[in-house]
Amino acid sequence: MSEKEFYLEYIQLGPQVKVTAIDPDTGIEVCIIAPATASKAEMNRVAVDKLIHVLAKSRAQTDKKHKSAEPEDKRGGVLI
């Protein structure tokens, strides 16, 4: 099983680094601000973990919308 790939962008902002993680499939992106003294591996981990959390939350909301759109009574008609 191959690991999911994400795009990562780093922008130095004085003593901090803004790290943006982007999912290429959905275009969803998240940002974190880390101290410039943090290791690149740690910045990557935090940004990717946040993106995975946001993607899971988005997927759960989408699943919930699809389930609520289906009528609970499969006989048709309008439920009152």
Side-chain angles (χ1 to χ4, degrees), residues 9-76:
E9 175 185 64
Y10 306 89
I11 299 174
Q12 180 86 34
L13 302 168
Q16 296 96 12
V17 177
K18 177 182 176 186
V19 182
T20 304
I22 305 165
D23 177 34
D25 297 332
T26 63
I28 293 175
E29 64 181 64
V30 298
C31 297
I32 65 159
I33 302 293
T37 57
S39 71
K40 197 168 187 178
E42 185 67 12
M43 288 187 258
N44 290 351
R45 185 190 65 76
V46 173
V48 169
D49 285 351
K50 183 176 179 179
L51 180 56
I52 289 170
H53 172 76
V54 169
L55 289 170
K57 189 175 178 180
S58 174
R59 201 172 305 120
Q61 288 175 345
T62 301
D63 291 346
K64 188 176 180 180
K65 284 182 184 177
H66 288 301
K67 285 183 182 180
S68 66
E70 297 175 8
E72 292 187 25
D73 186 348
K74 302 291 183 195
R75 296 178 290 171

